[in-house]
Amino acid sequence: MAKMIKVTLTKSTIGASPRQRKVVEALGLRKMHQSVELVDSPVSWGSINKVKHLLTVEEL
């Protein structure tokens, strides 16, 4: 089974740029403190690094 990571939206997207809001939504996050489990891949990490100041990431 592939390694998974848990991504949680910890800061609001109110002050973020429209591009950053789209990245957060593409990750599957819509509300504050909502978490999603993603496959640990370079694609996931590319998106996470664009908005890392809004997220908390932990390995499962």
Side-chain angles (χ1 to χ4, degrees):
M1 186 171 171
K3 291 179 77 177
M4 301 293 285
I5 53 176
K6 182 178 178 182
V7 181
T8 306
L9 183 62
T10 55
K11 294 195 178 185
S12 176
T13 58
I14 289 175
S17 69
R19 186 173 185 173
Q20 289 174 339
R21 289 180 192 172
K22 288 181 182 178
V23 171
V24 170
E25 189 174 331
L27 286 170
L29 299 167
R30 300 192 182 278
K31 297 180 179 180
M32 289 281 297
H33 306 292
Q34 180 182 4
S35 298
V36 293
E37 292 184 7
L38 302 172
V39 176
D40 189 4
S41 68
V43 175
S44 298
W45 280 106
S47 297
I48 290 168
N49 285 333
K50 289 183 182 293
V51 290
K52 63 185 173 186
H53 58 285
L54 303 174
L55 306 174
T56 301
V57 181
E58 56 188 85
E59 294 185 25
L60 297 178

